[in-house]
Amino acid sequence: MKFNGTLLVVQDLERSKRFYMELMGCKVTEDFGANITFDNAFSLQTLESWSGFIHRAPADVRFAGNDAELYFEGDDFDGFVKKLESWQGLEYVHPVQEHSWGQRGVRFYDPDRHVIEVGESMRDVCLRFRAQGMTNAQVAARMDVDAAYVARWLAEDFA
């Protein structure tokens, strides 16, 4: 068996499509009308069609569960944060925070209150620490990872 992706039920497909395309940079690979698939293996499904698939009334579908998230990483975290700040009506779960391992991240809601997290790429975390004068061993210690991970993440910069 192979996992093929995640599906989010949405109340307004066009609004959600715009959110994921314009803010998150996702590209539609398939558009079936009531269901669209993005290039990073997740799909949006209209509430009406979903409720029919599961044989439940639309009122039985709950939004804003705060029990899962879609996780994205990007190479220009600071640029993305500026883009977020200009997105009208965006509701934050929490502002930018730095985790104990040094990666910065932000969580916010999509139009249907699904939790979205965007994190700084691990390569960029390593590069930021290196720019502060840390050696690879010091970066590994700061991030609480094996030095091989740091070497691999830094090598991605030159791939």
Side-chain angles (χ1 to χ4, degrees):
M1 186 165 313
K2 176 185 163 197
F3 177 75
N4 281 337
T6 300
L7 181 139
L8 298 178
V9 177
V10 299
Q11 298 175 73
D12 181 334
L13 187 62
E14 287 306 313
R15 177 185 67 180
S16 293
K17 182 178 174 182
R18 179 179 163 267
F19 176 89
Y20 283 101
M21 289 177 66
E22 293 179 15
L23 180 62
M24 304 304 298
C26 299
K27 294 176 179 56
V28 173
T29 58
E30 305 290 339
D31 187 337
F32 303 107
N35 174 288
I36 59 172
T37 301
F38 291 106
D39 57 342
N40 39 9
F42 81 95
S43 302
L44 302 178
Q45 184 80 39
T46 64
L47 174 60
E48 295 77 19
S49 61
W50 177 252
S51 62
F53 290 156
I54 64 170
H55 308 285
R56 299 287 186 271
D60 291 336
V61 177
R62 305 285 184 256
F63 292 92
N66 290 313
D67 60 345
E69 71 177 17
L70 290 182
Y71 177 73
F72 296 83
E73 282 187 2
D75 290 329
D76 182 11
F77 183 77
D78 293 321
F80 181 77
V81 169
K82 286 182 181 153
K83 188 176 182 180
L84 273 183
E85 291 167 353
S86 68
W87 193 265
Q88 194 165 25
L90 187 80
E91 182 182 354
Y92 288 90
V93 175
H94 64 72
V96 174
Q97 65 181 20
E98 185 171 317
H99 298 288
S100 62
W101 58 92
Q103 182 186 33
R104 295 176 299 155
V106 60
R107 287 186 176 92
F108 49 93
Y109 293 106
D110 80 355
D112 292 287
R113 295 189 50 81
H114 300 107
V115 177
I116 308 299
E117 178 181 2
V118 175
E120 179 181 27
S121 75
M122 297 306 281
R123 175 185 62 102
D124 283 356
V125 176
C126 294
L127 290 171
R128 184 165 43 88
F129 288 153
R130 288 296 307 272
Q132 294 172 8
M134 292 183 185
T135 65
N136 282 11
Q138 290 170 324
V139 171
R142 170 65 177 84
M143 295 178 73
D144 196 25
V145 297
D146 189 274
Y149 287 109
V150 172
R152 186 185 82 208
W153 290 325
L154 288 172
E156 290 174 7
D157 190 44
F158 304 104

